[in-house]
Amino acid sequence: MIKAVIFDMDGTLIDSERIAIIAWNRSAKRFGFEIPLEMLHGFIGMTRDACMGMLTEHVGSERIANEMFEDHKVIEDELYSTMLDLKPGAREVVENLHARGLKLAVATSTRTIQAHEKFDRFGLTPYFDVFTCGDELNRSKPEPDIFLLAASRLGVDPASCVVVEDSFNGVRAGHAAGMHTIMVPDINNPTKEIAKLAEAVVPALSDVEPKLVELGLLA
């Protein structure tokens, strides 16, 4: 039986990835560039530094890449005020797993302040025992560091943890951490590689708890 569930944030519990893509496209247009959708999808689950490496290579200038990043964040914050919402079933799955007595953690590539702002906005912060964020680590997903740190802070063996993720890199990181990994696709549907790494792929957050029961990880 599992003892803890570690959730990704953006695209998993909070419906923010579509907003990020809109912001990136608007910013790129301002600077006279286009960012391929494949690259935008590649940003999902990455820290700022990892995104910056890809963006700098694409635009050919670290200065322009930095300016674009900051510009897209301003646009993103403006859009959050009217468009940001929870993913369907997010509140219910968090409340239900918390009621079962499981320890809950957030492991996100987003910076600490921004992560807390989002969860505070929706009143979900009290349900989580631990927040582990992108600005606390040198290596981002698909490396397992963020999930292993979350498990350590929870005082739980990685093998007794479930990771709930929407991104390819998140699934890779959860698998590499030796944790049961459930994918709930948001923008990217799983490839054969990702489907093999995930213990299960479910269409919605409302399916996570029943799937854990089906897998014998919850009574």
Side-chain angles (χ1 to χ4, degrees), residues 8 10 12 17 38-51 54 107-109 139-147 163-178 181-186 188-191 193-195 197-198:
D8 172 53
D10 292 303
T12 300
E17 298 295 7
E38 181 179 356
M39 179 177 290
L40 294 177
H41 286 180
F43 288 168
I44 295 172
M46 285 190 169
T47 61
R48 172 187 172 132
D49 289 344
C51 290
M54 295 172 62
T108 175
S109 298
R139 301 198 306 173
S140 63
K141 305 170 188 177
E143 301 298 335
D145 304 31
I146 195 166
F147 291 127
V163 166
V164 181
E165 266 281 359
D166 73 293
S167 74
F168 291 1
N169 281 337
V171 171
R172 292 180 181 118
H175 178 80
T181 304
I182 307 294
M183 183 181 188
V184 186
D186 178 37
N188 296 323
N189 288 318
T191 61
E193 175 219 351
I194 296 303
L197 293 178

Side-chain angles (χ1 to χ4, degrees), residues 3-4 103 130 148-158 161:
K3 297 180 179 179
K103 294 184 176 182
V130 163
L148 294 174
L149 179 58
S152 175
R153 288 175 171 174
L154 290 170
V156 176
D157 187 272
C161 297

Side-chain angles (χ1 to χ4, degrees), residues 10-79:
D10 292 303
T12 300
L13 290 178
I14 297 180
D15 194 9
S16 52
E17 298 295 7
R18 289 170 180 78
I19 297 174
I21 288 175
I22 293 170
W24 273 119
N25 283 330
R26 290 185 183 179
S27 182
K29 187 175 180 180
R30 288 183 182 180
F31 282 81
F33 292 94
E34 289 188 8
I35 303 178
L37 188 59
E38 181 179 356
M39 179 177 290
L40 294 177
H41 286 180
F43 288 168
I44 295 172
M46 285 190 169
T47 61
R48 172 187 172 132
D49 289 344
C51 290
M52 281 297 302
M54 295 172 62
L55 189 60
T56 298
E57 183 177 353
H58 180 64
V59 302
S61 166
E62 185 176 356
R63 178 185 61 81
I64 293 175
N66 270 298
E67 290 177 0
M68 284 180 63
F69 190 95
E70 295 304 326
D71 185 63
H72 113 274
K73 290 303 295 182
V74 171
I75 297 170
E76 196 174 61
D77 289 344
E78 291 172 353
L79 294 174

Side-chain angles (χ1 to χ4, degrees), residues 81-215:
S81 64
T82 57
M83 294 176 63
L84 192 64
D85 204 352
L86 292 174
K87 294 287 291 184
R91 189 177 303 279
E92 290 76 14
V93 71
V94 169
E95 289 178 348
N96 291 347
L97 294 176
H98 181 267
R100 282 177 171 268
L102 292 168
K103 294 184 176 182
L104 301 183
V106 173
T108 175
S109 298
T110 299
R111 294 182 176 186
T112 303
I113 292 175
Q114 295 165 332
H116 280 285
E117 285 175 349
K118 289 179 181 178
F119 277 90
D120 289 346
R121 174 176 182 155
F122 297 109
L124 290 180
T125 302
Y127 292 98
F128 290 91
D129 301 281
V130 163
F131 278 73
T132 306
C133 302
D135 54 349
E136 300 183 83
L137 296 145
N138 293 324
R139 301 198 306 173
S140 63
K141 305 170 188 177
E143 301 298 335
D145 304 31
I146 195 166
F147 291 127
L148 294 174
L149 179 58
S152 175
R153 288 175 171 174
L154 290 170
V156 176
D157 187 272
S160 298
C161 297
V162 168
V163 166
V164 181
E165 266 281 359
D166 73 293
S167 74
F168 291 1
N169 281 337
V171 171
R172 292 180 181 118
H175 178 80
M179 300 180 179
H180 305 279
T181 304
I182 307 294
M183 183 181 188
V184 186
D186 178 37
I187 291 175
N188 296 323
N189 288 318
T191 61
K192 289 182 179 180
E193 175 219 351
I194 296 303
K196 185 176 180 180
L197 293 178
E199 195 154 338
V201 179
V202 297
L205 287 170
S206 58
D207 299 304
V208 169
E209 187 178 5
K211 178 57 70 173
L212 294 177
V213 173
E214 179 186 325
L215 292 170

